[in-house]
Amino acid sequence: IIAVDKIGYNLALQFSKKGYKVTVCCADLISHETKGMTRDDYRRELMNIFSDSDVEIAFDIESMIVSLAKPRKIFLINRTGVFSEEVYLQLVPGLVAGDTIIDCCDSSFELTEKRENELANMGIAYLGVGIAGDEYSALAGMSFFAGGTKANYDNVRNLLVAVSSHFHGIDCCPHVGEGFAGRFVQMIFGGLEYSILEAISEAIMMLEHFLGYDGAKIHDILCEWNESEMGGYILGVFSDIVSCTDTETGSYITDVVSDKAGYSRNVAR
């Protein structure tokens, strides 16, 4: 796994727990300077993350490739972007026919097709795979939207099933079509998700500012809506959030939270 953040690191831990031999190569040490840390500090942090696991750590791509038995399956994971051509160009020469690249970055449609076609001529499989989840779901199970050929997908399906989420007995790692189909489905998924988030947010704003309801009252209304045909995972999350209070001020968390994206668990029901 060539990774750049905790999503990739946690996915490596989950693969290891499932009995797979895993080597992690930190792309931060390859493609750009790490954030506010020296390289030695970052190395120590990585070693600490994997200290209680059987995951091997490689600090360059060549060492990672050598550590893996053929045919190799290599995940590229960067949830917020793509790896530079520098990383890609270092990786490909070390691979041979029969190896597979599972690209879980936000690569473009054009780049996905270009890489799939050029690697097919070398006998190397390439799948552009969309993902849904964060560093926490990487440990519990993520959703994957796999593109590429059906034959290449079938060759790695067992790996995706091992670390995917499951819903009513269904593995959340389908093959959604050829070529860049995985990228397309991820784009549609993201668009739908954020449209729903926006619609619910505007409804909450009207309940609070036009009707004067507090978090507890809005929570009850959203719970009622969630029992109707509008119900779903996202609405359920919103119903929990609006009734959460900030541990420092005692105010509802929606009244004090900054208008920023990120993670915080400094809340209590």
Side-chain angles (χ1 to χ4, degrees):
I1 295 177
I2 300 178
V4 73
D5 54 30
K6 287 187 178 180
I7 292 180
Y9 305 154
N10 286 349
L11 205 58
L13 290 171
Q14 192 183 175
F15 271 124
S16 181
K17 289 177 182 177
K18 297 296 176 63
Y20 290 97
K21 181 184 183 298
V22 186
T23 300
V24 166
C25 180
C26 176
D28 266 339
L29 294 172
I30 300 167
S31 58
H32 59 273
E33 292 299 320
T34 55
K35 308 119 182 138
M37 302 176 69
T38 67
R39 292 197 172 196
D40 287 341
D41 287 341
Y42 203 77
R43 287 171 184 261
R44 282 191 286 270
E45 181 179 271
L46 281 177
M47 295 176 71
N48 183 57
I49 290 173
F50 298 112
S51 61
D52 294 328
S53 73
D54 294 325
V55 175
E56 294 185 19
I57 305 172
F59 294 110
D60 60 80
I61 289 177
E62 183 179 357
S63 298
M64 180 200 70
I65 293 174
V66 170
S67 73
L68 300 174
K70 301 175 184 177
R72 292 162 288 220
K73 310 291 190 301
I74 298 176
F75 283 78
L76 305 180
I77 301 177
N78 183 357
R79 188 68 178 86
T80 57
V82 299
F83 288 127
S84 67
E85 280 294 295
E86 178 186 356
V87 173
Y88 179 72
L89 293 175
Q90 287 185 50
L91 172 63
V92 172
L95 303 182
V96 297
D99 291 341
T100 300
I101 296 176
I102 301 119
D103 187 347
C104 299
C105 304
D106 288 338
S107 304
S108 66
F109 296 170
E110 294 84 1
L111 187 59
T112 299
E113 283 208 323
K114 172 180 176 291
R115 288 180 173 176
E116 182 178 2
N117 291 334
E118 67 186 18
L119 289 173
N121 294 329
M122 302 166 59
I124 299 171
Y126 177 92
L127 296 93
V129 178
I131 60 175
D134 57 18
E135 61 189 87
Y136 305 111
S137 55
L139 289 172
M142 303 187 72
S143 294
F144 298 89
F145 319 110
T149 68
K150 182 63 163 55
N152 288 341
Y153 167 77
D154 289 340
N155 193 38
V156 300
R157 184 180 182 277
N158 63 317
L159 292 176
L160 298 178
V161 169
V163 294
S164 72
S165 55
H166 309 279
F167 183 74
H168 293 282
I170 299 173
D171 302 319
C172 298
C173 55
H175 179 247
V176 296
E178 303 277 329
F180 56 72
R183 309 287 186 217
F184 181 80
V185 171
Q186 182 179 16
M187 179 185 69
I188 298 300
F189 172 87
L192 289 172
E193 180 180 34
Y194 282 97
S195 297
I196 293 170
L197 290 171
E198 178 66 24
I200 297 174
S201 296
E202 292 186 10
I204 292 173
M205 180 192 70
M206 289 187 284
L207 290 172
E208 179 179 359
H209 295 286
F210 295 167
L211 299 179
Y213 293 161
D214 64 10
K217 178 64 175 177
I218 296 174
H219 166 78
D220 292 339
I221 292 173
L222 295 186
C223 286
E224 183 178 341
W225 288 355
N226 206 32
E227 295 299 320
S228 70
E229 61 183 11
M230 295 188 297
Y233 173 78
I234 295 177
L235 188 57
V237 171
F238 266 100
S239 67
D240 288 337
I241 291 174
V242 296
S243 61
C244 288
T245 55
D246 178 57
T247 55
E248 294 182 2
T249 65
S251 301
Y252 289 110
I253 194 68
T254 51
D255 294 331
V256 298
V257 68
S258 299
D259 187 18
K260 298 178 181 179
Y263 299 101
S264 175
R265 295 189 172 184
N266 187 36
V267 295
R269 284 296 301 275

